[in-house]
Amino acid sequence: MAKGISEFLLETVGEVVAEAILTLLACALLVGLALIVYLSWAFSPRLTMAGAGLLSLFLAHGAWKIFRDPAKGRGRRGLAAATTAGFTLTAATAVFLLFYGTGCGCM
């Protein structure tokens, strides 16, 4: 009985610590992204907009490559592989921030 209770408490404390670490990480990521945008805009608004446009094209190409029907017998190579990986990483980061960043009280 006591062993079961101690395992339950250990698991609960572990989950609380993991949630706190993930929330802190999401908050740090949000602050870092906001700082990058702020400093970029302060340096050059035109370059910031051009960079945002290029990043949007990069991610749109990755999404297009993921969601379209693949050609038979052809794998992803070069730019297609890079944009697909970039889109996947960005989507995973967005989901992470959606779940953990919304609870961040730092913004």
Side-chain angles (χ1 to χ4, degrees), residues 2-86:
K3 184 177 180 179
I5 292 173
S6 66
E7 287 177 2
F8 172 76
L9 288 176
L10 185 62
E11 183 178 330
T12 303
V13 169
E15 287 180 13
V16 168
V17 169
E19 288 282 328
I21 289 171
L22 288 172
T23 302
L24 183 65
L25 182 63
C27 188
L29 183 60
L30 282 173
V31 169
L33 289 173
L35 183 64
I36 288 170
V37 170
Y38 173 77
L39 292 176
S40 175
W41 189 265
F43 176 72
S44 173
R46 288 182 182 166
L47 283 178
T48 302
M49 294 305 292
L54 286 174
L55 181 63
S56 297
L57 285 174
F58 179 81
L59 295 175
H61 185 262
W64 178 67
K65 286 291 186 181
I66 285 177
F67 294 116
R68 74 180 188 116
D69 290 333
K72 295 197 186 319
R74 298 189 65 187
R76 292 190 176 101
R77 296 185 182 145
L79 179 65
T83 58
T84 300

